[in-house]
Amino acid sequence: MSDMGFMSARLRRGDMTPGEKLWQMSWSLIFWICCIFAFGFAMLYSAANGSFQPWAAPQLARFVVGLGVMAVLAVVDVRLLLRYAYAFYGIVFVLLVVVDLKGFVGGGAQRWVDLGFFQLQPSELMKPAIVLALARYFHGVNMEEIGSPTALLVPILMVIAPVILIIVQPDLGTALLIIMGSGIVLFMAGVRIWKFLAVGGLGLAAIPIAWPMLHDYQKNRIYTLLDPDRDPLGTGYHITQSKIALGSGGLFGKGFMAGTQSHLNFLPERQTDFIFTMLAEELGMIGGLILLGLYVILLIYGYAIAFRCRHQFGRLVAIGITTGFFLYFFINIAMVMGMIPVVGVTLPFISYGGTSLLTLMLCVGLLMNIHVHRDVHMGVRGGFKDF
Amino acid sequence: MTITRDSDWTKMFTRRAAVLGGVQATMIATLVGRMYYLQVVQSDRYKMLADDNRINIQLLPPPRGRILDRFGQPLALNKQQFRVLVVPEQALRVGDTLDTLARLIDLSEHERDRIKKEVGRKRGFVPITIKENLSWHEMSRVQVNAPDLPGIMIDEGLTRFYPHGQDVAHLLGYVSSVDEADLTGDPLLQLPGFRIGKDGVEKVYDLQLRGKGGTSQVEVNAYGRAIRELERQEGEAGADVILTIDERIQGFAAQRLGEESASVAVMDVHTGDLLALVSNPSFDANAFSRGLTSAEWKDLSTNDHKPLINKVLSGQYSPGSTFKTVVALAALEHGVISPEQTVHCSGSYNLGSYVKHCHKVHGSVSMVRAISLSCDVYFYEVARRLGVDKIAPMANRFGLGAISGIGLPNEKPGLIPTEAWKKAARGERWAPGDNLNVGIGQGDVLATPIQLAVQAARLANGGIAVKPRLVRPAVQGNAPITDDARPEFESLNIPLAHMEIVRQGMYDVVNGPPGATTAMAAKLKLTEPDMKGWTISGKTGTAAVRGMTAADREAQKRDPSSVPWHLRDNALFIAFAPSHAPRYSLAVVVDHALGGGAAFAAPIAKDIMELVLRLDPSRKPRAEDQIASGDAPAQSEVR
C-alpha cells in the first residue's frame, strides 16, 4: 500500500525516471497502431504489384523511426510541453511564412522546406502545434473567463493566422482540417455552442465571397462531388473509378493483390490518397470494416486517455489529437467513396508518405505523453503544484 | 474553490466529450452505410463497370473464302499486307500525328482530309485505316518511329487479290469497304477496313465467302494497353466458292477478243457448266479492291467500249440470223412448211406494198439450205405463215426472253415480242411486217450472249432444257472437287427429226453442204491433228443496229469502214461441237464489227472451241495439260 502511495505521489509530482515512464506507456495502444500500420504495409506491398519497393520498405523504416520519436516524446516531461507550446507554435508559424515566401519567389506552390535529409511540411506540423498551443491557452483559463469574448480573441487569431498562410499555399484541405480540429478543441474547452453557430453562420455567409477566390481545380472538385458523372473522363474520373473499384470489390473483395481497378491503373494515387479504395477492392467490405474497427479502437484509447488525465492541458491535447485522427480517416474514406469533395487528405498510418507518417507518430507520442503524465498536477504556467 | 471549478469543468468536458463521441460514431456509421451501399447494394453494377473498364472485346476478322475455277485454280485469294491505322483517342492530336506520319510515308492531302472526316464521324476508340498495302520499307519506318506517333498502329491483314484480274473482273466483281447501307448488324461489317463483295460472284456469295468473326477478350489497363488475353473464340474462315469456269478458257477468250467490244459465253451442253463468261474490254479487279484513282475511274466510265458493263449478261442484242434456228423449229412444230418444201428467193420479198431484201439471190431453198445460206426470204415467208405468237413460245423454250438464272446481278432478260406485248408496251397493233423482222431475228427481238449460248446448248443436246450454272454444287467447306453427277433437266419436247434438220443446217453453215467446200469451212476447220473428223456446227448472225439510216446502209455496202463505229452491224456466232456428239456450246458477239458474223465472230468462236475441245478432260490428258492444270496453287497465296 505504502509502495503504491509512494508511486502515486511520484506520479503526481511527475518525477519518474525515463525507464519508469517507458514502462508506463500504453503498450496495447502501440500494438493496435502496429496492427493498423501492418494493414497499410500489406496494401503498399500490393500497390507495388507484390514488391517491397518502392513503397512498403521505406514506409516501414519511417514507421520504426516514428516509433522512436513517439517513445522519446512520451518520456519528455509534460510540463516542458506546456512551457514550450507557444514556442513550438511560433517556430512552425515562422516555417510556414518561409514556405509561403519561397513560393512567392519561386513562382509556384510550395508546401515544404528542404532540411537536406528531410523535406519538412510545416502545414503538417501545424496540426499538433495548434493543438498544443490551444491546450496551453485554455489550461490557464477558467470557466468564467472562457465566457468573455476577449478571451476568445487570442485563440481565434492563433487559428486564423496559420490557416490563411496554408490557404495561400494553396492547401485548402489542410486548412479546413486545422479549422475543424481547432474548433473541436475550442468546443471541448468550453466555448459556448451559440458562438460556434455564429461562426458557422458567418462561414456560410462568406461562401459567396470566397467562391470566386477558389482555384479552378478546387471548384471542379466541388462540382464533381455534386455530379460525379458531369465529366467522367476529366475531373470526375478519379472519383468514378474509385467508386467502381470499391463497388466491384463487393463484400469479400477480389483477393489480395488481385484488384483489377488498382493494378490496371484505373485507380489514381493508389498508394496515397486512394489506398482505402484499393484495400476495399481487394479485401472487400469486410476488410474496410476491420480497418474502421481498428480506427475506432484508436479513438476509444484517445478518449480514455483524455478522461483518465487529471489536467486540462492533457485532456485538451488528447482530445485534439484523437479528433485529428478521426478527421483524417473520416475525410479520406468519405472522399474516396464520393461523399465529400476530393481533398488531399491521407489515410492515417496507411497511406504512403514520410511527413504524414512522422507527424502521426509525433501525435501518438503526444497522446502517449499525456497517458504517462496523466496524474501530474500542473500549475497554470506548467510549474509543479502541490497541495 | 479551485476544486469546484475543476469539477464544473470536468462535468462540462464529460458532457461535451459524449456529444463529440456521439457525432463521431454517427459519422462512422454513415461511412459504414455508404460502404454497404457501394459494396453490397450496388456491387453488381460496379462489377460490370469494372469489367467494362478492363475487358476489351476485339473482333477477329475471318479470312475471306477463295474463289476457285473448276480445277481449283484460284481466281480470288487473300494476300498478306500491312496497313497503318490510327486510334483517335490515343493520338493526342490527329492532325499532328498525320503530319509526322506524312514525313515517313506518302500521304496525300486528299487522304488526310478523308481520315480527318472519318475521325469526326466515328467514336474515339475505333481505329481508322490511314493507308493500306504498305511496303515492307514503309512499315518498318513507321514501326521505328512509333514513339513519336501516338495512336498509330500497324496491322497485319489480308487483302483480296485476283491473280487473273483482267480476265474475270466482270464475273467476280470486286470487294470494297462497307457503306452505311450495307450494315446488317453483323459486327464484322464495322471493323475498320473490312471488305465485302460489291458485284458479281463476290457479292452474290458474300455471306459464304465472309465466314464468321471470332472474338478475343483482352484485359487492358487504363491506358488501353493490352495486358493479357482472357479468352479467344476463333471465327470461321469463309468457305471457298468453286466456279464452273475454266480459267484457261476464260483467259484465252479474253485475250482472243483483243481490243474488240465483245462477249463470249462457253457452256457444257449437258451439265450447263459455264466454262467461260467473258465481257471485253475489261478492267483490273485489283484496282477496284484497292480503290480507283479518279483518273482511272474517268477512263473506265467514259470509254465508248464500256468496260464497266458486263455485256455477256446485260448486253441485249438483236440476235439476227442466229434466231432463224428457232423460227425453223416453230415452223416444223406448227407444220407451216415441210422440211423439203422450198421457197423461191429472188433477192427480195413483197408483203403488200412492203419490200424486204435478201442479202443474195438464193433461188429455190429448202429449210436446211435456208439455214446454211441464211436466206432471209425463206424466213420472211415462214414467219409470215407462223405469226409472232407461234414463234415466241419456241424462243422462250430455248431460254430467250428471260434471265438465265445464274444469279449474278444486273442480268438483262432480252426481249421476245408478242402481239400482246406490242399492244401493252407501245399501244400499237402488231403489223404483218413485224413478223418478217422477227423471222430474221431483227426488229424488237433482243437476246443476251449468255442466252445465245443456252440456245445453242439446247439445240446441241437434242432439246433438253439445260440451265446454265456458274458455281459447282459443292461450295461448302474445302471438300475435294468431285465429278458430280450430271444434273437432270426437262425435255423441250421437240421431235428429234426436227432437231436433226436444224442441226444439219448448222453443220452446213460451217462445213458446207455435202460435197461442197466453202470458204468458211476452210477457215473453221479444226486443225488439231487428233481432232481429225471433228467438226463445229454453228449459225452466224449479222444484226443491224438501231438508228442506222438507209443512207448509212448504202454507204456500208460500198465501204463498211466509212460508217461510224457505233452504227456498224453487230457480228454474232453461236456454235456447238463436236457436231457428231455435241459437248460444248458457245456464243460470240462482237459489237459493231467490220464484216458480219461469218467473217468476224466465227473465227473467234472456232479458236475458242478448239481450245475447249483440247482441254476436255474426257480426252486423254497430255503432258502440257497437266502442267497447265497443275494443282499447286500460286506461292503467294495465303489462306
Side-chain angles (χ1 to χ4, degrees):
Chain A
M1 254 337 263
S2 63
D3 214 33
M4 280 302 289
F6 168 73
M7 188 65 195
S8 57
R10 289 187 62 197
L11 281 175
R12 274 195 298 278
R13 271 181 278 115
D15 54 353
M16 291 176 283
T17 62
E20 284 167 335
K21 285 184 178 180
L22 283 179
W23 182 243
Q24 282 291 314
M25 285 200 305
S26 170
W27 288 96
S28 57
L29 174 59
I30 293 171
F31 166 77
W32 289 117
I33 285 178
C34 287
C35 282
I36 298 176
F37 176 79
F39 231 122
F41 183 76
M43 289 335 288
L44 289 177
Y45 176 78
S46 169
N49 298 318
S51 163
F52 291 111
Q53 294 296 341
W55 298 312
Q59 190 77 348
L60 180 62
R62 286 171 192 152
F63 184 67
V64 172
V65 171
L67 283 175
V69 168
M70 180 208 73
V72 169
L73 214 52
V75 299
V76 170
D77 194 312
V78 72
R79 284 161 293 197
L80 287 178
L81 290 182
L82 184 82
R83 195 171 298 158
Y84 294 112
Y86 290 152
F88 179 52
Y89 173 86
I91 290 166
V92 176
F93 188 82
V94 169
L95 284 174
L96 267 180
V97 174
V98 168
V99 167
D100 276 13
L101 286 179
K102 264 178 74 182
F104 280 122
V105 175
Q110 216 168 32
R111 295 177 183 179
W112 41 266
V113 257
D114 203 340
L115 298 181
F117 64 96
F118 191 71
Q119 287 174 349
L120 185 77
Q121 278 194 43
S123 60
E124 285 285 327
L125 281 181
M126 188 42 99
K127 292 167 191 167
I130 192 108
V131 168
L132 283 172
L134 288 174
R136 162 78 184 83
Y137 181 81
F138 286 107
H139 179 68
V141 179
N142 61 35
M143 287 288 279
E144 287 77 37
E145 284 169 316
I146 288 170
S148 75
T150 46
L152 279 179
L153 197 64
V154 174
I156 285 176
L157 280 177
M158 275 199 299
V159 176
I160 296 289
V163 159
I164 288 172
L165 288 175
I166 292 168
I167 286 179
V168 167
Q169 282 186 356
D171 189 354
L172 199 59
T174 306
L176 285 171
L177 266 175
I178 287 176
I179 291 175
M180 285 187 281
S182 308
I184 286 167
V185 173
L186 293 178
F187 172 71
M188 293 307 293
V191 177
R192 294 277 176 186
I193 306 279
W194 68 263
K195 287 175 181 155
F196 286 96
L197 294 177
V199 171
L202 271 175
L204 280 177
I207 286 178
I209 302 161
W211 181 254
M213 293 162 70
L214 289 180
H215 288 257
D216 277 346
Y217 77 91
Q218 291 167 333
K219 287 186 199 169
N220 274 332
R221 284 172 176 179
I222 294 169
Y223 284 138
T224 300
L225 174 77
L226 299 177
D227 180 11
D229 301 326
R230 192 174 71 100
D231 184 10
L233 291 176
T235 49
Y237 179 81
H238 291 183
I239 213 65
T240 306
Q241 293 302 337
S242 175
K243 279 158 74 182
I244 291 173
L246 273 157
S248 61
L251 194 55
F252 299 106
K254 296 175 185 171
F256 184 59
M257 304 223 303
T260 59
Q261 287 281 106
S262 330
H263 290 288
L264 297 172
N265 294 337
F266 290 102
L267 192 66
E269 299 291 325
R270 64 174 183 266
Q271 80 280 16
T272 56
D273 290 5
F274 285 88
I275 197 163
F276 182 79
T277 306
M278 188 176 77
L279 184 147
E281 185 191 14
E282 298 193 347
L283 307 177
M285 186 178 169
I286 302 291
L289 286 180
I290 290 173
L291 183 67
L292 266 186
L294 288 171
Y295 281 136
V296 168
I297 289 174
L298 189 61
L299 292 187
I300 290 171
Y301 268 84
Y303 276 101
I305 289 170
F307 279 119
R308 181 65 189 74
C309 183
R310 299 178 68 162
H311 44 86
Q312 214 166 343
F313 175 74
R315 288 185 164 191
L316 288 176
V317 168
I319 282 290
I321 283 168
T322 308
T323 300
F325 291 155
F326 169 79
L327 287 174
Y328 260 92
F329 80 77
F330 176 81
I331 290 176
N332 178 273
I333 295 175
M335 170 191 84
V336 301
M337 292 200 290
M339 297 164 80
I340 60 169
V342 175
V343 282
V345 173
T346 53
L347 192 61
F349 307 107
I350 304 280
S351 288
Y352 176 79
T355 308
S356 146
L357 184 64
L358 283 175
T359 310
L360 284 162
M361 293 311 285
L362 200 131
C363 290
V364 176
L366 289 176
L367 195 59
M368 206 57 91
N369 183 288
I370 302 304
H371 177 70
V372 170
H373 299 92
R374 57 190 178 270
D375 288 328
V376 172
H377 280 234
M378 286 194 295
V380 173
R381 300 197 181 279
F384 178 79
K385 183 187 174 195
D386 208 354
F387 46 104
Chain B
M1 173 108 172
T2 321
I3 292 167
T4 332
R5 277 215 307 274
D6 260 11
S7 82
D8 275 356
W9 194 84
T10 308
K11 263 191 210 158
M12 182 276 302
F13 183 85
T14 311
R15 215 168 43 232
R16 292 202 167 183
V19 170
L20 185 62
V23 169
Q24 289 182 351
T26 314
M27 287 167 87
I28 290 170
T30 62
L31 287 186
V32 174
R34 177 73 170 174
M35 240 186 256
Y36 178 78
Y37 173 76
L38 289 177
Q39 298 197 274
V40 177
V41 178
Q42 297 264 294
S43 183
D44 288 342
R45 186 171 85 93
Y46 285 119
K47 273 178 187 146
M48 219 173 67
L49 287 172
D51 281 349
D52 277 358
N53 262 346
R54 76 184 176 102
I55 298 174
N56 218 342
I57 297 179
Q58 289 169 353
L59 263 182
L60 306 169
R64 193 171 172 84
R66 296 175 304 171
I67 300 174
L68 307 173
D69 89 341
R70 63 188 294 111
F71 293 112
Q73 283 290 334
L75 301 177
L77 46 86
N78 305 310
K79 245 172 59 171
Q80 196 152 28
Q81 63 131 340
F82 298 101
R83 58 181 182 170
V84 55
L85 306 118
V86 61
V87 183
E89 73 176 11
Q90 286 171 20
L92 300 174
R93 308 237 312 256
V94 174
D96 293 353
T97 305
L98 290 181
D99 287 344
T100 316
L101 192 66
R103 270 177 252 136
L104 303 171
I105 61 173
D106 194 30
L107 207 61
S108 72
E109 204 54 47
H110 175 73
E111 282 172 307
R112 276 200 246 183
D113 285 347
R114 172 189 67 79
I115 294 158
K116 280 179 194 158
K117 255 185 234 156
E118 216 170 320
V119 168
R121 273 207 315 271
K122 292 188 173 161
R123 290 169 70 184
F125 56 82
V126 178
I128 288 163
T129 309
I130 293 179
K131 198 168 185 178
E132 301 197 301
N133 299 315
L134 254 61
S135 69
W136 178 264
H137 248 81
E138 289 176 310
M139 192 276 292
S140 18
R141 268 209 296 277
V142 174
Q143 286 287 46
V144 165
N145 289 284
D148 300 331
L149 296 164
I152 293 286
M153 56 184 199
I154 294 274
D155 188 20
E156 214 175 295
L158 297 176
T159 186
R160 203 64 162 162
F161 176 64
Y162 304 97
H164 309 282
Q166 291 274 355
D167 303 342
V168 291
H170 293 113
L171 189 61
L172 298 193
Y174 57 96
V175 293
S176 184
S177 44
V178 180
D179 293 327
E180 207 65 37
D182 300 323
L183 295 176
T184 55
D186 185 344
L188 275 178
L189 300 180
Q190 310 230 23
L191 274 179
F194 193 77
R195 299 280 152 107
I196 57 167
K198 288 289 186 146
D199 202 1
V201 174
E202 294 272 30
K203 180 179 183 176
V204 175
Y205 292 92
D206 188 62
L207 280 182
Q208 260 163 285
L209 290 165
R210 190 189 298 169
K212 290 198 175 70
T215 52
S216 161
Q217 291 193 0
V218 182
E219 186 175 75
V220 294
N221 69 10
Y223 317 114
R225 186 175 300 281
I227 303 296
R228 65 196 164 120
E229 189 168 64
L230 301 172
E231 200 186 309
R232 190 185 184 88
Q233 204 167 24
E234 288 298 340
E236 221 174 86
D240 288 347
V241 168
I242 302 166
L243 301 183
T244 57
I245 298 292
D246 184 337
E247 205 290 314
R248 294 168 296 177
I249 299 170
Q250 179 88 6
F252 175 80
Q255 180 212 327
R256 179 65 183 80
L257 292 175
E259 299 291 307
E260 298 297 333
S261 170
S263 325
V264 170
V266 181
M267 165 173 172
D268 185 310
V269 303
H270 300 299
T271 62
D273 284 358
L274 290 162
L275 299 175
L277 216 49
V278 181
S279 176
N280 206 55
S282 184
F283 54 87
D284 186 358
N286 293 308
F288 266 68
S289 286
R290 72 168 147 74
L292 288 176
T293 65
S294 55
E296 282 174 317
W297 171 253
K298 199 171 166 222
D299 217 38
L300 285 173
S301 56
T302 56
N303 189 328
D304 66 349
H305 281 39
K306 297 200 168 33
L308 293 175
I309 291 177
N310 188 7
K311 295 169 195 131
V312 75
L313 294 180
S314 57
Q316 304 187 100
Y317 299 89
S318 295
S321 302
T322 64
F323 194 65
K324 289 171 181 168
T325 54
V326 173
V327 177
L329 286 171
L332 292 174
E333 187 171 73
H334 292 283
V336 296
I337 196 164
S338 75
E340 297 77 27
Q341 223 174 328
T342 60
V343 170
H344 182 75
C345 170
S346 62
S348 64
Y349 186 81
N350 298 343
L351 185 72
S353 58
Y354 194 61
V355 182
K356 298 280 282 179
H357 294 275
C358 195
H359 54 94
K360 241 181 185 166
V361 179
H362 293 111
S364 282
V365 287
S366 67
M367 185 174 279
V368 172
R369 260 174 68 78
I371 293 172
S372 73
L373 298 173
S374 202
C375 176
D376 288 347
V377 168
Y378 180 90
F379 284 99
Y380 291 144
E381 173 60 19
V382 167
R384 186 191 63 75
R385 291 186 198 174
L386 274 168
V388 71
D389 284 356
K390 284 179 181 156
I391 299 172
M394 183 58 79
N396 292 336
R397 275 149 89 184
F398 278 88
L400 301 172
I403 59 165
S404 70
I406 60 166
L408 291 191
N410 302 325
E411 190 180 349
K412 294 271 168 61
L415 178 64
I416 298 302
T418 59
E419 290 185 19
W421 167 83
K422 188 170 181 186
K423 189 94 189 137
R426 303 233 175 95
E428 290 169 22
R429 269 175 56 86
W430 189 264
D434 294 336
N435 286 331
L436 307 193
N437 281 334
V438 170
I440 61 163
Q442 295 268 169
D444 293 315
V445 184
L446 291 174
T448 62
I450 191 170
Q451 286 172 343
L452 294 175
V454 171
Q455 179 196 338
R458 291 181 183 182
L459 288 167
N461 66 18
I464 306 296
V466 60
K467 285 196 174 69
R469 67 176 187 200
L470 186 58
V471 173
R472 308 273 300 223
V475 288
Q476 294 296 336
N478 295 324
I481 301 158
T482 53
D483 207 11
D484 41 293
R486 183 177 293 188
E488 288 295 319
F489 297 110
E490 285 173 31
S491 167
L492 295 174
N493 291 320
I494 295 169
L496 211 56
H498 296 178
M499 298 298 294
E500 279 307 327
I501 286 159
V502 173
R503 290 204 291 211
Q504 183 63 50
M506 289 175 76
Y507 177 86
D508 290 352
V509 167
V510 177
N511 305 290
T517 309
T518 61
M520 179 119 166
K523 261 203 285 190
L524 297 192
K525 195 171 159 62
L526 295 172
T527 49
E528 286 280 322
D530 62 347
M531 288 180 199
K532 227 178 279 165
W534 285 17
T535 53
I536 299 173
S537 300
K539 181 72 198 85
T540 57
T542 305
V545 174
R546 242 175 254 251
M548 202 175 189
T549 61
D552 288 332
R553 188 153 292 285
E554 280 308 305
Q556 184 174 347
K557 270 185 189 158
R558 285 193 308 276
D559 177 13
S561 58
S562 71
V563 180
W565 179 78
H566 69 277
L567 289 176
R568 293 175 196 163
D569 289 348
N570 293 330
L572 299 92
F573 192 68
I574 61 171
F576 58 82
S579 302
H580 61 279
R583 178 74 202 263
Y584 300 104
S585 76
L586 65 70
V588 175
V589 178
V590 182
D591 297 352
H592 315 304
L594 270 180
F600 214 99
I604 295 172
K606 177 242 158 191
D607 288 348
I608 296 170
M609 188 58 95
E610 200 164 49
L611 177 74
V612 172
L613 291 174
R614 190 161 62 76
L615 295 177
D616 187 327
S618 65
R619 292 171 60 244
K620 198 174 155 208
R622 297 174 313 172
E624 60 191 272
D625 287 354
Q626 272 176 332
I627 293 161
S629 66
D631 36 352
Q635 317 81 305
S636 63
E637 173 193 353
V638 175
R639 273 281 358 215

